[in-house]
Amino acid sequence: MTPFVHKTLVVQLQAGGAERCPVLAHLTYDADDPFAVTAVFAHDGRVLARWRLDREMLADGLDKAVGMGDVRFRPVATGPWHELRMDFFGDARTDGGRHRAVVYAWAPAVAAFLRETWEAVPPGREEVRVDDFLAEILATGWA
């Protein structure tokens, strides 16, 4: 059986300068893709966005600012409240900027999820089955 970890969190979405609004974040870790965490953001049963995130970068973002591309993480503390700020950049807008969404998650909940993933596959023990991957490419004609 492949280790699989799933956690649903209520997070706060802020987009387009609007106030924060609560949405669900479904975080999933599958040992078959050991370096990634899938985050699906949903509201009222509708998927708003799906991102594949680097597990190590997600963990690092709990302690320091990381990322410089489409995804960036950094810790934010307001009094006793500790959050993980996740900035997601999308396609270009007509004004030359880029679409952007900011998600705030309760940092202890993200840390608890990551601990479960580390129990499934400890850091440094991730395996990539290159032969299986190449066989799949050749079988499906991805070349």
Side-chain angles (χ1 to χ4, degrees), residues 29 121 123:
Y29 178 78
V121 179

Side-chain angles (χ1 to χ4, degrees), residues 5-139:
V5 179
H6 177 84
K7 186 174 286 286
T8 299
L9 308 175
V10 176
V11 298
Q12 300 290 315
L13 170 67
Q14 187 175 34
E19 294 292 319
R20 293 183 184 190
C21 68
V23 298
L24 294 178
H26 302 280
L27 302 178
T28 305
Y29 178 78
D30 185 343
D32 284 341
D33 191 4
F35 295 100
V37 169
T38 300
V40 176
F41 300 100
H43 183 66
D44 285 339
R46 195 174 117 229
V47 172
L48 303 173
R50 178 185 314 266
W51 288 81
R52 284 187 68 232
L53 308 172
D54 180 279
R55 179 172 77 154
E56 183 178 357
M57 187 173 138
L58 184 61
D60 288 346
L62 291 168
D63 297 318
K64 63 185 178 193
V66 294
M68 48 190 259
D70 293 343
V71 178
R72 301 172 192 175
F73 303 130
R74 69 180 164 100
V76 176
T78 308
W81 191 253
H82 294 273
E83 296 177 307
L84 173 64
R85 176 184 168 135
M86 299 177 271
D87 290 80
F88 298 97
F89 294 85
D91 296 331
R93 295 188 320 238
T94 56
D95 66 3
R98 292 177 69 190
H99 290 281
R100 178 178 172 203
V102 179
V103 174
Y104 295 89
W106 190 46
V110 175
F113 168 78
L114 287 169
R115 280 192 299 275
E116 288 184 46
T117 74
W118 296 330
E119 288 173 12
V121 179
R125 299 271 182 123
E126 300 92 345
E127 264 185 36
V128 177
R129 295 181 188 102
V130 176
D131 291 339
D132 295 343
F133 176 69
L134 290 174
E136 181 182 340
I137 289 174
L138 294 172

